[in-house]
Amino acid sequence: MSFKIIKEVMSPSELKQALPVPAEHAKWKANRDEMIKKALTGESDKFLVIIGPCSADNEDSVCDYINRLAKVQDKVSDKLIIIPRIYTNKPRTTGEGYKGIVHQPNPEKEPDLKEGLMAMRRMHLRAIAETGLAAADEMLYPENWPYVDDILSYVAVGARSVEDQQHRLTISGMDVAAGMKNPTSGDLSVMLNSVVAAQCSHTFLYRAFEVETSGNPLAHTILRGAVNKHGQSIPNYHYEDLIRLVDMYAERDLQNPAAIVDANHANSNKLYDQQPRIIKEILHSRKVSNDIATLVKGVMIESYIEPGCQKISDHIYGKSITDPCLGWKETEELLYTIAEQV
């Protein structure tokens, strides 16, 4: 049992030098960051929609998809802030399977993390250049943050990472919105404790340095459902669940109370086509409760060009090779529905 060193990969500064953000695009991202911040703090009543493929496995199809989102964003800009999901790291429950473009820039070839880091950054930069939309990504590996800290407008911490101390502390040093999902057990106190930690200042070891963070006031919660000891999904998007979260927030002295509801994963029992129904229920709950409307600032949706999912070897353009997603037709209809009802 040992570590085998394969090769040294480039540092974050080397990657940024090789693939820099143009000054004009950096301004676009800063503007998007400010829009998202105002939505989370309540300065704006715009609704966040974090949407895109389960995993961003192909640059061409992902950027095609985001260009489609951008056209919708232009039409609903008075109501919605659409944040495309460009998820380049894919958590695996058993450690097996496709782990995202950072690991495998070509899903059918061996892992190559040096090329994967390049592929990840190229895709994010292309999306910003073509659409002006800075994206969301999942922080699966806290040490990777410096590779993308100048291109992401939103960071999510997954259900399997939210209890990890390094994730919480790293989020505390970010200056963009960060969502902390409830753990797979469904314990909302764990999720809220993560927000407490992320909003505080910390001193810790990070990438061989002793660092100090100032705390992230934009850290918030994401409800994604739970799984019980029998492996059954337990949703937590219903009215009663949202009221419970309102009450739990009220018991804590947190900055900018906010929640996002993930319409897939355990909330849909991974039945991707149920996402529109779930979102409509969430929107209804916001209408009947001012407290819920104030707390729930947005939704998260898994969507791509083609509905469902496929095997890696199938090569269907714009179809997920991990979890199944909504297709574009249903996605476009859903986005307009959300804009009409918020």
Side-chain angles (χ1 to χ4, degrees):
M1 301 291 288
S2 64
F3 285 90
K4 177 183 176 183
I5 294 176
I6 301 172
K7 59 185 173 185
E8 186 175 2
V9 300
M10 63 182 65
S11 68
S13 60
E14 289 170 332
L15 181 60
K16 290 174 179 176
Q17 186 174 7
L19 295 169
V21 180
E24 185 66 18
H25 299 177
K27 291 179 182 178
W28 297 349
K29 177 198 157 352
N31 182 56
R32 296 284 294 176
D33 292 351
E34 186 65 18
M35 290 170 61
I36 295 166
K37 176 183 177 181
K38 288 181 177 179
L40 289 172
T41 61
E43 295 176 67
S44 164
D45 60 1
K46 290 184 180 180
F47 195 68
L48 302 177
V49 180
I50 304 153
I51 184 168
C54 175
S55 61
D57 57 89
N58 179 281
E59 180 182 313
D60 288 338
S61 57
V62 168
C63 288
D64 177 354
Y65 172 86
I66 296 171
N67 272 275
R68 300 181 191 204
L69 284 182
K71 292 176 182 176
V72 177
Q73 174 68 97
D74 289 342
K75 297 176 182 178
V76 299
S77 59
D78 59 328
K79 295 291 189 69
L80 306 182
I81 300 172
I82 297 176
I83 307 171
R85 286 170 47 119
I86 302 182
Y87 277 30
T88 56
N89 300 280
K90 175 65 181 173
R92 311 304 305 200
T93 304
T94 64
E96 298 178 328
Y98 177 65
K99 296 183 179 69
I101 202 168
V102 170
H103 278 257
Q104 291 171 273
N106 184 327
E108 295 184 289
K109 293 184 178 180
E110 292 297 311
D112 188 330
L113 273 74
K114 179 179 178 181
E115 289 302 316
L117 289 168
M118 296 281 286
M120 168 192 69
R121 192 166 171 89
R122 273 195 300 266
M123 179 161 36
H124 278 287
L125 290 174
R126 178 177 168 185
I128 295 172
E130 292 183 358
T131 69
L133 303 182
D137 203 344
E138 180 171 353
M139 192 181 72
L140 188 57
Y141 306 107
E143 294 80 6
N144 285 0
W145 170 240
Y147 289 105
V148 292
D149 60 3
D150 58 340
I151 53 178
L152 291 184
S153 283
Y154 188 95
V155 174
V157 176
R160 297 165 187 80
S161 303
V162 74
E163 294 186 74
D164 177 67
Q165 187 78 343
Q166 195 75 351
H167 282 79
R168 295 175 172 187
L169 301 186
T170 303
I171 291 290
S172 76
M174 295 181 180
D175 58 1
V176 297
M180 320 292 277
K181 288 195 173 185
N182 65 260
T184 53
S185 69
D187 189 341
L188 301 189
S189 63
V190 168
M191 173 182 68
L192 284 161
N193 288 340
S194 294
V195 174
V196 172
Q199 291 193 355
C200 291
S201 171
H202 300 281
T203 301
F204 60 103
L205 185 67
Y206 185 73
R207 295 184 63 91
F209 292 95
E210 180 179 336
V211 300
E212 182 180 5
T213 61
S214 58
N216 186 345
L218 301 180
H220 58 275
T221 56
I222 303 176
L223 296 174
R224 51 86 72 197
V227 180
N228 67 18
K229 65 181 181 179
H230 303 294
Q232 299 165 325
S233 290
I234 306 171
N236 57 14
Y237 64 85
H238 297 305
Y239 178 91
E240 293 78 9
D241 301 300
L242 301 179
I243 286 294
R244 181 176 173 227
L245 185 57
V246 166
D247 293 341
M248 293 181 76
Y249 256 112
E251 295 170 357
R252 290 165 169 80
D253 184 21
L254 286 166
Q255 301 177 72
N256 307 314
I260 304 293
V261 184
D262 181 347
N264 211 17
H265 297 96
N267 267 334
S268 69
N269 195 25
K270 291 194 175 181
L271 299 174
Y272 72 93
D273 58 348
Q274 295 300 302
Q275 292 180 97
R277 176 189 62 78
I278 291 166
I279 287 169
K280 288 171 186 175
E281 180 176 330
I282 295 162
L283 296 177
H284 176 72
S285 294
R286 291 180 84 246
K287 287 182 178 179
V288 298
S289 167
N290 288 331
D291 289 337
I292 291 175
T294 300
L295 182 67
V296 176
K297 307 290 189 180
V299 291
M300 187 173 284
I301 304 164
E302 289 197 313
S303 153
Y304 210 174
I305 296 172
E306 297 296 332
C309 62
Q310 63 176 327
K311 295 178 181 178
I312 292 174
S313 58
D314 289 345
H315 301 291
I316 299 172
Y317 180 81
K319 192 169 188 176
S320 175
I321 61 172
T322 48
D323 289 348
C325 299
L326 280 181
W328 178 250
K329 180 178 180 294
E330 297 80 12
T331 296
E332 188 174 24
E333 292 173 357
L334 179 57
L335 288 170
Y336 289 128
T337 296
I338 296 171
E340 289 172 359
Q341 295 187 12
V342 293

